[in-house]
């Protein structure tokens, strides 16, 4: 029986991750602030991860085979985690994001070495506790958090799972696919960049499975997690329109101003060859897209 610690994990990807860990026979400890109960069958520790002393008190003398950090968004959080968990675990898996590549613009899919966290500057004095700042600097927060773990060395072996855009599930709380569902249903224009680039995606069930696999593997460093193939905004809307025959996808190109989620003026789809060579088998995005749309539309009906 492995001792696994999950930080966060109360909803969406985390719920599926924990269900899989328990099914595999792991003993799972969940750390959160106590605002909601974790899935049944887990050990629940209440702590504020932004408060180092609170986290240490909650953990006591506990140690883990692996820690899976679902909610590390800033270098401050990463520094606290690095200090608290060094010596408590042999493996630290951080859930990162495709948005660490947001400054890339490449026709070819982007490999992990396009963003070397070891070269990223860290500034813990930025206003990371300000929600608006954090929201607009999401990719930068993840880049700097990765940089903190990359600097830890052998004291804390880490993996940064750079997650593609996630679709699927009746409990998708992000509202991003709902944006397209609403506009196709009403015919309201969908704002997209003049040059609208495709992107890489992953189904919510697949990323949960990937995190379980990463937790049980031996490799370290960054790894891209994305299904095979790219999807365009037009393909997303076409999959939605199948369920809404009275609706219509109307696109409006904009040069400045807000654009729809999953619409990108830069191309930074992820190359998944490292994970594939390490042994993970990805699905095809075009094959599971209809299922993902059905799941999301179904929650509203």
């Amino acid at each position: 029986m492995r001792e696994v610690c999950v930080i966060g994990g109360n909803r969406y990807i985390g719920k599926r991750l924990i269900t899989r860990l328990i099914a595999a026979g792991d003993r799972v400890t969940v750390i959160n602030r106590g605002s909601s109960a974790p899935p049944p069958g887990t050990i629940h520790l209440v702590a504020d991860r932004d408060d180092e002393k609170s986290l240490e008190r909650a953990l006591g003398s506990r140690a883990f085979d692996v820690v899976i950090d679902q909610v590390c968004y800033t270098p401050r959080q990463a520094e606290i985690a690095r200090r608290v968990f060094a010596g408590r675990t042999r493996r630290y898996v951080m859930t990162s994001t495709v948005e660490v590549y947001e400054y890339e613009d490449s026709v070819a899919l982007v490999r992990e070495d396009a963003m070397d966290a070891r070269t990223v500057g860290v500034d813990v004095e930025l206003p990371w506790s300000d929600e608006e700042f954090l929201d607009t600097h999401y990719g930068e927060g993840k880049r700097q958090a990765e940089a903190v773990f990359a600097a830890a060395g052998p004291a804390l072996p880490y993996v940064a799972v750079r997650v593609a855009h996630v679709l699927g599930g009746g409990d998708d709380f992000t509202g991003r696919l709902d944006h397209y569902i609403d506009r196709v249903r009403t015919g309201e224009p969908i704002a997209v960049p003049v040059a609208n680039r495709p992107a890489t995606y992953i189904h919510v069930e697949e990323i949960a499975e990937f995190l379980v696999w990463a937790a049980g593997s031996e490799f370290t460093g960054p790894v891209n997690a994305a299904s095979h193939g790219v999807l365009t905004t037009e393909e997303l809307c076409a999959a939605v329109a199948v369920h809404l025959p009275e609706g219509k996808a109307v696109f409006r190109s904009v040069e400045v101003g807000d654009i729809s989620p999953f619409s990108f003026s830069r191309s930074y789809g992820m190359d998944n060859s490292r994970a594939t060579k390490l042994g993970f088998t990805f699905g095809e995005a075009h094959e599971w897209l209809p299922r993902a749309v059905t799941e999301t539309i179904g929650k509203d009906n």
Side-chain angles (χ1 to χ4, degrees), residues 160-213:
V161 178
R162 295 172 178 171
V163 182
H165 307 291
V166 181
L167 293 173
D171 55 339
D172 180 359
F173 64 92
T174 65
R176 292 175 295 185
L177 189 54
D178 287 309
H179 173 90
Y180 292 104
I181 293 169
D182 291 342
R183 277 156 180 74
V184 171
R185 180 180 285 126
T186 62
E188 183 179 348
I190 299 165
V192 297
V194 174
N196 190 20
R197 308 301 187 192
T200 42
Y201 293 81
I202 193 165
H203 192 275
V204 63
E205 300 289 351
E206 187 172 35
I207 188 56
E209 191 65 35
F210 187 93
L211 289 167
V212 173
W213 171 79

